[in-house]
Amino acid sequence: MAIRVMLVDDQVLLRTGFRMVLDAQPDMEVVAEAGDGVEALQVLRSTAVDVVLMDVRMPKLDGVETTRRICADTDPPKVLILTTFDLDEYAFSGLKAGASGFMLKDVPPGELLTAIRAVHSGDAVVAPSTTRRLLDRFAPMLPSTTRQPQHKELERLTEREREVMVLVAQGLSNGEIAARLVLSEATVKTHVGRILTKLGLRDRVQVVVLAYETGLVRAGGQG
């Protein structure tokens, strides 16, 4: 079954370009489009969607609030935030709202397709290194970020779990973390699962966000 994609962006030309790329894939189909968040929420009430490509800066209802409302529903589609590299502090807020990751608007088509497939298959972090670099850029600009070195939630973690959390936030995969800590990949996966459970987080993206918010990882990717 093809991955059902929805395009949400106020720029018609951009949506048209994305549609051409996605519809050319045998495993993808653009099933809906919307020019703003209000329209997107209306369309989603009657259309089955697997992955939403979401712009952040739109009239009526921006992408962050739209993402928050989508992700609050039962069994929501995955959301990929589309952002510009110049200055888009909303990208970080989009992750906090429940997005599974974010991509640059000028991303090469191949990377976009890989990202959509990865998110659809359940991988929360599309491109850890890209996510980390953008967080390094945007996190210091966010007034809502507490960035305190200590946080009550983190006290629930063991020393090893905190160590794993730092490496997840730095963009390392389970395999890379296993090699760094001299553990099996299965053991790392178990640690990540316990981190998610103890902290009440949905996926690895939320682990990254919390690590930045609490100061466990600082801009520059250092723990």
Side-chain angles (χ1 to χ4, degrees):
M1 184 177 178
I3 301 171
R4 298 165 297 189
V5 181
M6 180 179 187
L7 307 175
V8 184
D9 196 297
D10 60 339
Q11 298 182 46
V12 177
L13 189 59
L14 191 65
R15 295 204 311 266
T16 300
F18 280 147
R19 175 182 280 276
M20 291 176 61
V21 172
L22 301 185
D23 280 346
Q25 305 306 307
D27 61 339
M28 294 184 192
E29 178 186 7
V30 176
V31 296
E33 294 186 26
D36 59 66
V38 172
E39 183 183 0
L41 294 173
Q42 292 173 341
V43 172
L44 282 171
R45 293 192 188 104
S46 59
T47 306
V49 174
D50 298 312
V51 178
V52 178
L53 295 186
M54 178 76 68
D55 186 23
V56 287
R57 299 186 179 188
M58 297 181 295
K60 297 183 181 179
L61 193 67
D62 66 32
V64 173
E65 181 58 29
T66 304
T67 296
R68 183 176 293 109
R69 296 187 189 185
I70 289 174
C71 294
D73 288 342
T74 303
D75 194 24
K78 303 290 187 180
V79 178
L80 270 178
I81 294 288
L82 297 175
T83 179
T84 57
F85 187 71
D86 289 335
L87 178 62
D88 203 346
E89 64 275 17
Y90 299 111
F92 186 89
S93 298
L95 293 182
K96 290 178 65 177
S100 294
F102 53 86
M103 304 291 293
L104 303 181
K105 278 193 173 182
D106 60 354
V107 63
E111 289 186 24
L112 177 64
L113 297 173
T114 298
I116 293 171
R117 293 184 182 109
V119 166
H120 180 253
S121 69
D123 290 339
V125 179
V126 176
S129 59
T130 300
T131 299
R132 187 181 70 248
R133 285 197 302 270
L134 289 175
L135 284 171
D136 287 345
R137 179 180 176 88
F138 299 135
M141 305 181 211
L142 297 171
S144 62
T145 300
T146 57
R147 303 183 58 75
Q148 296 171 355
Q150 301 299 326
H151 195 284
K152 273 192 172 182
E153 293 180 55
L154 301 183
E155 294 175 3
R156 304 173 192 167
L157 304 180
T158 64
E159 185 176 345
R160 175 64 85 186
E161 287 165 352
R162 285 171 65 99
E163 197 172 8
V164 170
M165 184 174 178
V166 167
L167 296 178
V168 168
Q170 290 177 350
L172 274 65
S173 66
N174 285 351
E176 291 168 334
I177 294 172
R180 179 78 63 88
L181 300 180
V182 195
L183 299 171
S184 71
E185 194 165 339
T187 298
V188 172
K189 187 174 181 179
T190 298
H191 282 311
V192 172
R194 287 175 180 165
I195 292 168
L196 295 176
T197 300
K198 286 184 177 182
L199 300 182
L201 303 176
R202 186 191 66 250
D203 53 39
R204 293 171 73 105
V205 167
Q206 291 193 338
V207 171
V208 175
V209 172
L210 183 61
Y212 273 77
E213 283 194 311
T214 59
L216 186 64
V217 171
R218 297 181 297 277
Q222 299 301 311

